[in-house]
Amino acid sequence: MDRTPPPASPAGLSAYVAVSQLLGLTLLATTGAWLGRYRGGVAWHSPLQFNVHPLCMVLGMVFLQGDALLVYRVFRHEAKRSTKALHALLHGLALLIALIGIVAVFESHRTKSIPDMYSLHSWCGMAAFVLYLLQWLLGCGFFLLPRASFSLRSRYKPQHVFFGIALFALSIAACLLGITEMLLFNIKDSYSHFVPEGVLANTLGVLLVAFGLVVAYVLTRDDWKRPPLAEEMALSMDFKTLTEGESPGG
């Protein structure tokens, strides 16, 4: 028996997703090039431990978080349960990598007797991480392992979507502050002379903004949202019946 092929993706969606991935991989490569060429590389139990922090934050809080947000646009015709699981898994992996980066910077500061949590970058970065963790826990509780009623989930969903995009933007802003802070600490006397390290770090900042803008554009296009499948609509109505104690049409 022939199976009907899934509908094609909306015009332009695949191109924008491809551009986002190209930008994401380029910003990861640029981060590695900056840390490797000008900051000595990355190592854990060494004076280079601090460099684990920017690498992990760009990988986790920007690239993987952005990809997790795109899951519902990319996997438009897959089962909703599988898409939810992948969405949660990518966010969880981003949190784990970001946690490694946070541990690295605190241990590096302790080793070098540098004070913690005094800069705007550290405030924004820690706020982004803590709120991101809370967002992930609430998302898992409401949607992946639903215990809330249908109406409560429906009321929470707009907040979940808004804060997902807002935290992504805050994460990018924290990274931009961190790049500026690193440059002012390390090359403040030569930064204004357009030295290669400053140009490369500024390029990384532009890539971060570009990645964020492309991801945000994909997420905010109404005609690119994932359409609900017929079986998902039926399951949603069944869940409403069970949790609200009445028929969906009542």
Side-chain angles (χ1 to χ4, degrees):
M1 183 177 180
D2 294 337
R3 295 182 60 187
T4 303
S9 296
L13 173 59
S14 297
Y16 273 90
V17 171
V19 169
S20 74
Q21 297 311 288
L22 179 61
L23 286 170
L25 293 174
T26 303
L27 72 86
L28 289 176
T30 305
T31 304
W34 177 29
L35 298 175
R37 181 172 179 82
Y38 297 105
R39 296 292 104 215
V42 175
W44 191 261
H45 295 294
S46 80
L48 300 175
Q49 186 178 26
F50 176 85
N51 292 344
V52 175
H53 175 70
L55 181 62
C56 285
M57 304 321 277
V58 170
L59 173 58
M61 296 295 288
V62 178
F63 182 64
L64 287 178
Q65 183 180 178
D67 276 5
L69 295 175
L70 291 174
V71 160
Y72 287 106
R73 302 299 187 271
V74 175
F75 299 99
R76 300 171 53 80
H77 308 293
E78 303 298 326
K80 186 69 171 290
R81 183 76 177 179
S82 301
T83 309
K84 281 183 182 180
L86 180 59
H87 179 72
L89 179 63
L90 286 175
H91 278 310
L93 182 59
L95 280 165
L96 178 60
I97 292 173
L99 180 61
I100 294 172
I102 290 173
V103 171
V105 73
F106 276 103
E107 286 196 1
S108 175
H109 282 182
R110 186 180 69 249
T111 301
K112 299 176 182 178
S113 299
I114 298 175
D116 296 313
M117 298 301 300
Y118 67 89
S119 67
L120 179 59
H121 163 65
S122 62
W123 287 17
C124 290
M126 188 58 71
F129 178 79
V130 172
L131 292 174
Y132 187 31
L133 175 59
L134 180 61
Q135 167 90 343
W136 183 72
L137 292 173
L138 288 173
C140 289
F142 273 87
F143 304 115
L144 188 63
L145 303 170
R147 294 293 180 268
S149 68
F150 183 87
S151 60
L152 187 58
R153 287 198 307 163
S154 298
R155 288 197 297 269
Y156 174 66
K157 185 178 178 181
Q159 282 72 40
H160 183 74
V161 172
F162 168 76
F163 281 107
I165 297 176
L167 288 173
F168 180 57
L170 178 59
S171 299
I172 292 176
C175 286
L176 294 175
L177 289 170
I179 290 170
T180 303
E181 189 174 287
M182 280 188 68
L183 291 174
L184 293 178
F185 271 122
N186 293 300
I187 60 168
K188 62 180 180 180
D189 295 330
S190 58
Y191 186 24
S192 62
H193 299 295
F194 294 93
V195 293
E197 180 178 359
V199 173
L200 182 62
N202 286 351
T203 301
L204 173 59
V206 172
L207 288 170
L208 285 164
V209 172
F211 178 73
L213 289 175
V214 173
V215 170
Y217 181 74
V218 173
L219 293 176
T220 54
R221 278 284 298 264
D222 287 338
D223 54 329
W224 288 356
K225 290 183 178 179
R226 183 183 188 276
L229 305 180
E231 58 269 26
E232 294 170 4
M233 295 292 290
L235 287 173
S236 179
M237 291 299 98
D238 289 342
F239 181 77
K240 182 176 182 181
T241 301
L242 290 171
T243 57
E244 300 298 331
E246 60 181 19
S247 65

